[in-house]
Amino acid sequence: MRVRAILDSVRGTLQDNQPPNFNPATDVWTALWSDDKLLDGYNRARLWHVQQRPDTYAVTVSFNCKAESEQTVPAEAYRLLGVLENTATGRVVNPTTREDLTAMIPNWYNDSGSEVELYFTDERTPRSFWVYPKPPANHEVRLQVSRIPALVSMNEVDHSSNPAELDLPLVHLPSIENYMLFHAYMQDIETESNLIQAQNYIKLAANDLGVSWNIDLVFSQPVKGDANG
């Protein structure tokens, strides 16, 4: 689905494509939400998706290890989802925990080997992971990572020959649009009605995505106007 169609759909829900935004004296329609603002909401919605559900942007990539225990996911990745296998031999790499590995092999951090047998992650450092034993430099393994979606520009949206399209399965379209509506109403929450609309749409977006959000905590700070979604 083209991003232009998504922007137009959200604008229609906002009722921002009809009076009272049309001035018959000048024959000019003035949008309350510009295309740039709606596109900002679209880009933020995709980033929100990968934060809340990293699996929605999951890809499998080849990865060259450092000759160390600690590894860092590629720059285009948000976080590691799993280590699959050693590419050359096909030997599966199994998940473990730091505690279990340390209990089995107290000096595991210093051990070297020809290929990777185990790996573990730490939620406190989501872009890092550890492997056992330390592989040779440039040893290749296959990773499952959650990629960071590239921001879409307005030029890409309206490109005549290759317009930007939604880079997610259509099943995620409702949560994308509901987040965009949340973001739009958050641009002006000095009015209670807009604040309520924003709360309702972020609830819908979270429900569509299947995540549990403490909405009361999100809106616990005092409203000061000119807030950004």
Side-chain angles (χ1 to χ4, degrees):
M1 185 173 187
R2 292 185 178 179
V3 175
R4 165 52 65 191
I6 298 173
L7 301 186
D8 292 344
S9 174
V10 170
R11 188 180 299 286
T13 303
L14 291 167
Q15 297 185 336
D16 195 21
N17 52 3
Q18 58 188 3
N21 304 325
F22 179 74
N23 186 340
T26 59
D27 197 32
V28 172
W29 163 68
T30 304
L32 296 178
W33 289 275
S34 67
D35 276 348
D36 286 337
K37 285 185 177 180
L38 293 183
L39 182 61
D40 182 44
Y42 172 77
N43 282 322
R44 288 172 182 264
R46 293 159 64 240
L47 295 174
W48 179 75
H49 264 63
V50 78
Q51 288 177 320
Q52 302 303 315
R53 283 275 307 276
D55 60 295
T56 57
Y57 277 96
V59 293
T60 301
V61 298
S62 297
F63 177 78
N64 291 325
C65 296
K66 297 179 292 185
E68 301 174 7
S69 295
E70 184 177 357
Q71 308 290 331
T72 303
V73 296
E76 67 274 14
Y78 170 57
R79 65 183 305 162
L80 180 76
L81 299 179
V83 181
L84 298 177
E85 75 273 340
N86 296 273
T87 305
T89 64
R91 178 173 180 172
V92 173
V93 181
N94 291 309
T96 186
T97 65
R98 183 192 299 269
E99 292 74 20
D100 286 348
L101 184 56
T102 302
M104 292 188 299
I105 310 169
N107 296 322
W108 64 267
Y109 199 85
N110 296 318
D111 288 354
S112 299
S114 60
E115 59 184 359
V116 178
E117 300 175 20
L118 302 169
Y119 80 94
F120 68 84
T121 59
D122 188 325
E123 287 297 321
R124 293 168 295 187
T125 52
R127 289 184 51 79
S128 297
F129 64 101
W130 288 260
V131 297
Y132 174 84
K134 288 189 292 187
N138 295 318
H139 177 75
E140 186 176 284
V141 295
R142 296 280 287 169
L143 305 181
Q144 287 177 318
V145 298
S146 179
R147 68 177 177 86
I148 302 171
L151 300 183
V152 176
S153 70
M154 205 66 241
N155 181 59
E156 292 171 302
V157 170
D158 292 324
H159 196 286
S160 58
S161 60
N162 187 30
E165 297 199 5
L166 176 66
D167 56 352
L168 287 170
L170 276 178
V171 68
H172 293 296
L173 179 60
S175 54
I176 288 286
E177 291 193 341
N178 282 325
Y179 187 95
M180 291 173 65
L181 290 162
F182 154 73
H183 180 263
Y185 281 112
M186 284 294 291
Q187 304 307 304
D188 180 13
I189 55 173
E190 291 182 339
T191 64
E192 183 178 1
S193 61
N194 281 1
L195 176 61
I196 292 172
Q197 290 278 38
Q199 289 174 318
N200 289 338
Y201 279 117
I202 194 59
K203 287 178 183 178
L204 288 173
N207 288 338
D208 290 336
L209 203 55
V211 297
S212 177
W213 258 39
N214 188 337
I215 304 300
D216 293 334
L217 181 60
V218 174
F219 289 91
S220 62
Q221 299 300 318
V223 177
K224 298 181 181 180
D226 193 27
N228 293 316

